[in-house]
Amino acid sequence: MKKNVFQRAEYILPFAGLLVIVIAFSITTRGTLWTSDNLLAILSTIIPLILGGCGMIFVVAQGGCDLSVGSASAIAGTLAAIVCQNLGFAAYIPTAILIGALIGLFNGVIVSHFKVQSIMVTLAMLIALRALVVYITNGSVIYVPEQVLDLNNYSIKIPVFLVAVLIMYFLFEYTKVGYFSKSIGENEMAAKYTGIPVNKYKIIAFILSGIMAGLVGSLNVGRIGGVDPTMGNFFELEVMIALFVGGVPVTGGSGSKIYRLFIGAITVSVLENGLTLSKVDAGSAELIEGIILIAVISLTLFIRDKLIQKQEIMKTEHNAN
Amino acid sequence: MKSVAEQHQKMQKGTKSKILTLVLILIAFLICNLFAHGRFLTGNNLLSILTHAVVPSFIAWGFCFIYTTGIMDLSVGAIVILASIVGGILAFPLGYFGLIIGAVITAVVLELVNLSLIIKLKVPSWVFGLGAAMVYEAIGTYYETFEIDQGKQVVSLGNTARKLGSAPWNIIVLCIGIVISYIIFNRTTIGFDIRAIGSNHSVASMMGVKSKKAILFGGFIGSCFIGVASAINESYAGRVMPVTGLNSVALVFIPLAVYLLAQAFERIFNLTISVVISAIIIESLFNILTIFGVPSGTWQDVALGTVIIVCGILAQKNEKGIVK
Amino acid sequence: MKKNNRKLCAILISALTIVSTITGCASSTKQASSTGTASDASATSKVSASNKKLKLGFNNFLKGNYSLDILEKNFRSAASALNCDAMVTNDQGKVETTVQDVDSMISAKVDGIVFFGISDTLFPIVSRKCEAAKIPFVCYDHIPSDKTLEVLRKNPYFAGVVGEHDYDAGFPIGKYAAEQGTKKAILITGKNTDTTHSSREKGFTDAFTKNGGKVLDVGWGCNTLSDALSKTDNLLTAHPDVDCIYATGGDFGSGALQALAKHPSVKAKMFVTDLDPDILIGLSKHIISAANGAHWVNASFATALLVNRLVGNNLRDGNAAPTLTVPVLTLPNSQESLYDKFWLHNDPFSAKEIQQLVKTYNSGASLKTFRDTLRGYSIESRLKEKEKEGLVTKDELTKAGIKG
Amino acid sequence: MNEVKDYIFTCDKMNKSFGSTHANNNISISIKEGEVRGLIGENGSGKSTLISMIAGMQSSDSGSMSLNGEPYQPHNSQEANQKHIGTVVQELGLVDGLPVGANIFLGRMNQFTKNGIVDLSSLNQEGSKLFDQWGFQPISMNILAGTLSVEQKKIVELIRALSVTPNLLILDEITAALSLNNRKRLYSIIEKLKGAGNSILIVTHDLEEMLSIADSVTIMRDGTLVTTKPSSELTVDSLKQLMVGREINGSYYRADQKESYKDRVVLRGEHLSAERFNDISFQLHEGEILGFCGLSDAGIHELGEALFGIRKLTSGQIQVGDSLNTVVNSTKSAIKNGIGYVPKDRDKQALMVDDSIENNICLPSTNEIQGTLGMILPRRRKEISEKAIKNFDIKTQGRNQIVRSLSGGNRQKVNLARWVKDKTKILILDCPTRGVDVGVKSYIYNAMNQAKSDGISMIVISDELPELIGMCDTILVMKNKKLVLSKKRSEGLTEESLIEVML
């Protein structure tokens, strides 16, 4: 009967850090946190994080990492903007997604067939793609059609976001793409010896990551009003923070869950927004953010650790009998 | 079971591939020199390449002792900034001694704080590093804001203690670095312990390696290298500006590329040696491209990315195992 | 024992989380409470400054960058001179964060925003947001392109822009360099996506080539001093025959200077834009031939412009929101120490002078007041003003080459 | 005093609990000078826990140990080594990233350290000397341990244990990994140590081996010590009985002594060649159990990998299908044609040990359980996994239990269970009973019989000859990458006749 208590606790506790933060900021911002304007503002920071995370989680679940997401989103947005100047708005999002997918394909092929570490390949891509964006824009600003700016309206952005997240959620939790990705993260050798085409699924994971980066890029252009070569800078790190703060294991495997990404993304966004709203000095904001991030994740891990220990004990107990 | 002769052949093959790689690099250099009308392989230019390779090499050596144990600490960039600043401040009253001691102690203290917290809290080092980077960046800006309010800028060395960062002193330090890092990494108990933990944590600790102690001690050595890198950086640049918004992470991208490249070359050269080789390859690349008139910031970076991937592929050519 | 340690740790951390959040915010909430209830700052509402403290938002694009931070300092001193609360955000060098921070400032119910847009695309977006939230805003430092300005002027909440033409920072120096007889130049500059630096580069190149010189190469993409150092080093190897080096920013100038010292065979003159402490030292030692800058006061003027608007003094240039240009000043060697004293250690414009720009303190404040003040902005005029305030003696001025 | 002196090692009332599991309950053992002591028990009976306490890798909850009459309380394996206790642990392995020499002396580098610097050449010399001294084929001290074969690694581990000049040498299931020739060498080492008055504590699942080398055997069950008896008083059957606690029938192998299978050929290998084997041709019939045996470098395991499409062939064809017109050239085509594969290294190659039983069982069955849009319904996963747990009698709390918390035998059941499904027609089993105890072993043989009668064909690759002789319809012997002998099932088939060909 103890079990039930623990099981229930397991569902609530990952939210503990988030709850603490939300409560604390509700007090310090004197309720401003909950105004509709601000909730929408928080939502617009959450959207790219979750979209990017939904793609990257496939790679992370396999135990790899994709550092190229930020640069990929920038180049996808840039090229899409250029293409849509010539071909019209209809080509905008498809182009961005295609570019993202191509980058993912490249990453995936190098990682899977040439056995280069994912961090090395994607770091190189981070540097190279960013440089390409700078070259393409050549320092000037690319203006985009009004429709692209309209993408930033919540009435369009939210449906796009929901559809994309639902698809990714389905792929990750209910199809073999996600299942195999987690298996590869758990034990790649076992996956291979069980007959899973590991290379194929590595490529698929990177392609999905690229596609989502492309989508984020296309939305980003609307958000910042045109192509800016620095857009998406450090986006990959923000996504990773969201993933890991939510409790997705760095080594991947079956602990990777999309709901954890949600928690992470919301935690990070509320934290940033709350600190700014509380008028914390810009210098201190970063200091406090860093400390709280570390605190939240260690709290979550600590609690989970305790839980797992308890469960393990219960299991072995059962075995012995 | 393979015969000894076969294994011996394997070893010889190793020596061969070492020579082959060096020759290939040399040929590439000569070709570049030909196209650059002799502007590439001049003494001054080579010295300048080496000079630029010093700081990335030292940071990458730091990574050898920290990242090898599986701790991926991304706050090193922020640590370098803080260590450079502290070194710069202490350089005025104490000269070179202050510069080096200030930088090294700062780096060591911060890195040890990181490592012990990572071990204690069991937080994945990736996130911890990013969080710590935010904290250290913020400390840097506190100092900078303070200076601006005083009508000053972040500490600048001026003419004080600038020799460490310039030839020939930095090259001498680089050579000392090669020797020391090689010896510690390959010929000391701590080196073996670090490599053992990196390769297989549980087996290593079963075999009697005290892993926490080794990680902390490795972090101590690694952060000494990072401290020295910071001191050289400060002495070379004269001033290191604090940044915010995780921009410090970008600071370690090149050293990280050096380290990863070195890992890829590890089957040909020893890790600490290949660090220097990788650093020189990357810096020569920038140098030669500038000489060729390739615009920096765009095609140069594209070329760097390409070189990293190509080297990675070449080095992993025969890899059959599992790569993350 | 170990378990206890971990427990203690966990408790400490959670305590730390809460305490740091709350204390971090406490100081500011105190200020916020003194603001009283924030009213919707509609453009036409004429709130008198006497009964309500205004709350101004300001975005620092990248904290830690000297020139951006000194702009922040100018804003802060202007805001305190005008008795306003300041809310400063750090955009961390990211355009996305810039937009996000504007959202946050709107949520925090600031009365007006002093905005810096690194990229032209940001202005229309921010303009939309401010219009929707009915918050007046003013742009500082970067002057948007004409096309963008047109868009902005359609927004009734756009209060104007105060900045400098970066092209005009590069151009005179290029001309001056060519006049000094230099023929072959290399440039050290930031990313070519940063309009500040690319405009300066363009201005210099135009003037230099027009006057018979040739720009051999441009070192793009520097972020830091040591980037500039390495880049210059490489460039000097590639072009040992240069006789002119122009750095478009203070840090780049320091880096270039050091690289130059490593190439004793290169005989080149140094020119820099941005007057920061290092460059001043270079000037005083005659290593740098000329440098310009001092345009950082634009943040103060932008603040004053916005406050005018908020107190109901809607300054218009004809029908449109005004564009005010701050001249980029060239600093002679002789005045380096005085510049250090009055620009870097103090504010070049006293609180009183800033107050004179605003209707609350000076009922006659108009666009003309701004124009006149800016037109008269030069090193010499400022120093004379300081003499009037008794902060500097005539002797000192004469020594610096300024005649009474 | 004298009496104590006789015992080189004693432990008294050792206790160790993990949570509420009493892994060791008041265990007392005394080992005499020059004694070879066998330690035997089912998986999970507490042998490994006892050994890890003696080797200093875990601390005991209570109880005391003494060595040479002095109290002995190691805090870590280094201290145990200093006291001349050398251990080869069951599932440890080596540090792949370090050279062989460093692996042998890791944790004990100080003896080669001068002024803080390790003298590598004398370390390597010492290592080579050990190989010489104990009569193993030398391995270069400078190559990375990761490049060694499983057997070579085990030998390096053995050398590592021997390098402490052990008074007490503990060997936990070392023989399973060794080929016959090296097994022989191990026996002679044991003799040699014994002759010098040193003692050995050995764990093995091979009961005949146990009885032939051990002077006396200690039997453990469920964390308690059952009894210690001289080998001469024991037989294989009595050992089994003591271990399991109930009677087990004489043989757990197949009862029939005749080959029996249908005529239809389900898989044919045509001149298969790859790096580790050369020109192998054979046929597998419906319902046939085909065995492969050979020494460690004969290439039998690699052949198994190739049959499942993991290892690429350089020439030759694997044909399957109704008229043998389908070629297997990838794992995908192998699975499509109903081939299942149970690899040799259970924890590394087969199972995701940190994942749930359900995830492990469903892994090869995704194609069968996915519905529209490739959706894998949790309901179907549950069905499959619960069926497998029931059919294979896996002892677990539920399908969501983590595999790591299962005993070795149960893990192997999971490994097998996931392949026993309707679609599987051919099952490749590489060492299916490696490291499992008697109970599970007999269970697995039963399952194989069941599968055979269901018409499933099996290829069994094994180092254990009795197992092959007991189960297979046909046994193929490989030597030096080539097929050298084919034997049909018959009563007169002996191990000796096979070994002769293998060597």
Side-chain angles (χ1 to χ4, degrees), chain D residues 254 259-262 264 266 283-291 427 452 455-459 471-475 488:
Chain D
R254 259 166 78 176
E259 50 175 316
S260 64
Y261 47 82
K262 304 227 169 75
R264 197 169 75 84
V266 291
Q283 288 187 332
L284 178 68
H285 301 81
E286 189 179 340
E288 180 182 8
I289 300 180
L290 181 69
L427 206 47
K452 180 181 162 69
I456 294 179
S457 321
M458 275 164 275
I459 293 174
M471 292 305 296
C472 294
D473 294 302
T474 313
I475 295 176
K488 292 285 171 198

Side-chain angles (χ1 to χ4, degrees), chain B residues 15-62:
Chain B
T15 324
K16 244 186 219 164
S17 59
K18 265 179 208 172
I19 294 167
L20 194 72
T21 317
L22 284 179
V23 167
L24 274 178
I25 294 173
L26 199 69
I27 290 174
F29 272 30
L30 286 173
I31 293 173
C32 288
N33 191 37
L34 208 65
F35 282 108
H37 303 292
R39 273 181 302 169
F40 181 55
L41 289 184
T42 62
N44 260 339
N45 195 43
L46 288 178
L47 207 60
S48 138
I49 291 174
L50 279 179
T51 303
H52 293 149
V54 174
V55 173
S57 297
F58 268 89
I59 297 182
W61 281 326

Side-chain angles (χ1 to χ4, degrees), chain C residues 141-146 149 161-172 195-196 199-200 203 273 292 295 298 323-328:
Chain C
D141 199 54
H142 261 191
I143 299 179
S145 69
D146 293 344
L149 264 180
V161 50
V162 184
E164 74 288 343
H165 283 300
D166 283 305
Y167 187 85
D168 296 344
F171 195 88
T195 45
T196 312
S199 308
R200 287 177 188 171
T273 295
N292 60 6
H295 47 269
N298 61 43
T323 304
L324 300 169
T325 330
V326 178
V328 181

Side-chain angles (χ1 to χ4, degrees), chain D residues 329-346:
Chain D
N329 49 16
S330 65
T331 48
K332 198 180 160 190
S333 55
I335 290 177
K336 215 168 142 191
N337 288 294
I339 302 180
Y341 176 59
V342 176
K344 183 181 178 189
D345 193 334
R346 184 183 62 225

Side-chain angles (χ1 to χ4, degrees), chain B residues 1-2 4 7 10-11 183 186-189 192-193 195-196 199-200 202-210, chain D residues 57 77-78 92-98 102 106 109-110 116-118 120 137-140 152 155 160 297:
Chain B
M1 209 180 279
K2 284 180 205 113
V4 179
Q7 285 158 8
K10 219 174 176 179
M11 302 283 293
I183 290 176
N186 297 299
R187 291 290 152 86
T188 62
T189 315
F192 278 110
D193 288 357
R195 285 154 66 198
S199 180
N200 193 333
S202 57
V203 172
S205 39
M206 286 291 225
M207 283 189 174
V209 175
K210 293 182 190 79
Chain D
M57 291 165 189
S77 54
Q78 261 171 309
L92 184 55
L94 296 173
V95 178
D96 286 351
L98 288 185
L106 190 66
M109 294 273 184
N110 288 341
I117 290 166
V118 177
L120 270 188
Q137 254 188 349
I139 298 177
S140 163
Q152 281 175 317
I155 292 171
R160 185 182 152 85
D297 57 352

Side-chain angles (χ1 to χ4, degrees), chain D residues 226-281:
Chain D
V226 180
T227 181
T228 301
K229 282 189 175 179
S231 304
S232 49
E233 293 173 20
L234 288 162
T235 63
V236 171
D237 283 341
S238 64
L239 261 184
K240 280 182 201 164
Q241 197 178 331
L242 284 166
M243 275 167 70
V244 186
R246 64 194 140 83
E247 208 157 321
I248 282 194
N249 293 334
S251 168
Y252 35 54
Y253 298 126
R254 259 166 78 176
D256 58 328
Q257 291 299 335
K258 288 287 284 186
E259 50 175 316
S260 64
Y261 47 82
K262 304 227 169 75
D263 287 340
R264 197 169 75 84
V265 176
V266 291
L267 182 144
R268 186 161 66 199
E270 285 280 324
H271 307 290
L272 309 179
S273 295
E275 201 184 322
R276 291 298 191 87
F277 51 86
N278 199 357
D279 195 23
I280 310 283
S281 299

Side-chain angles (χ1 to χ4, degrees), chain B residues 39 144 153 162 237 239 244, chain C residues 63 69 225 238 258 277-278:
Chain B
R39 273 181 302 169
E144 194 239 357
Q153 228 174 330
R162 297 303 295 273
R239 166 189 299 142
T244 49
Chain C
K63 218 164 162 57
D69 285 351
L225 195 156
Q258 289 167 22
D278 262 11

Side-chain angles (χ1 to χ4, degrees), chain C residues 136-388:
Chain C
F137 71 103
V138 64
C139 302
Y140 73 92
D141 199 54
H142 261 191
I143 299 179
S145 69
D146 293 344
K147 200 175 142 196
T148 312
L149 264 180
E150 231 169 81
V151 179
L152 291 182
R153 285 197 172 124
K154 285 182 192 142
N155 180 355
Y157 294 91
F158 176 55
V161 50
V162 184
E164 74 288 343
H165 283 300
D166 283 305
Y167 187 85
D168 296 344
F171 195 88
I173 272 227
K175 193 162 167 247
Y176 179 75
E179 282 165 9
Q180 300 285 305
T182 58
K183 291 285 172 219
K184 294 174 199 160
I186 55 169
L187 270 60
I188 313 301
T189 187
K191 292 188 173 152
N192 64 353
T193 55
D194 184 342
T195 45
T196 312
H197 295 290
S198 55
S199 308
R200 287 177 188 171
E201 180 267 340
K202 210 183 272 166
F204 181 92
T205 309
D206 286 354
F208 195 66
T209 37
K210 207 183 276 172
N211 290 288
K214 190 175 174 232
V215 173
L216 297 178
D217 214 332
V218 181
W220 289 109
C222 302
N223 271 326
T224 62
L225 195 156
S226 62
D227 287 348
L229 174 49
S230 330
K231 212 137 266 176
T232 319
D233 205 358
N234 282 346
L235 282 173
L236 288 177
T237 309
H239 309 283
D241 51 342
V242 301
D243 53 10
C244 170
I245 300 170
Y246 171 55
T248 62
D251 275 353
F252 309 154
S254 317
L257 214 56
Q258 289 167 22
L260 186 61
K262 292 179 185 210
H263 292 258
S265 59
V266 177
K267 299 273 175 278
K269 290 187 165 150
M270 274 286 305
F271 303 92
V272 185
T273 295
D274 274 0
L275 294 167
D276 69 24
D278 262 11
I279 302 305
L280 295 183
I281 294 169
L283 275 174
S284 70
K285 290 183 179 162
H286 298 273
I287 315 169
I288 295 173
S289 307
N292 60 6
H295 47 269
W296 290 322
V297 292
N298 61 43
S300 312
F301 284 87
T303 312
L305 192 60
L306 181 69
V307 172
N308 265 316
R309 166 64 177 263
L310 292 175
V311 297
N313 185 17
N314 194 352
L315 301 176
R316 293 271 129 176
D317 182 6
N319 262 333
T323 304
L324 300 169
T325 330
V326 178
V328 181
L329 309 178
T330 304
L331 182 70
N333 286 336
S334 52
Q335 292 156 11
E336 166 270 319
S337 63
L338 290 171
Y339 178 89
D340 185 44
K341 186 168 172 193
F342 292 111
W343 269 260
L344 300 183
H345 283 80
N346 288 296
D347 302 312
F349 289 93
S350 66
K352 217 173 173 185
E353 282 174 286
I354 296 286
Q355 283 170 358
Q356 283 305 307
L357 293 168
V358 178
K359 201 186 166 197
T360 330
Y361 302 91
N362 169 16
S363 55
S366 69
L367 204 56
K368 191 166 173 299
T369 331
F370 275 83
R371 290 250 156 86
D372 291 347
T373 317
L374 283 175
R375 198 170 296 133
Y377 175 53
S378 70
I379 307 267
E380 211 171 303
S381 66
R382 283 291 91 208
L383 290 176
K384 280 184 180 156
E385 193 64 37
K386 297 292 170 195
E387 190 201 349
K388 273 186 215 154

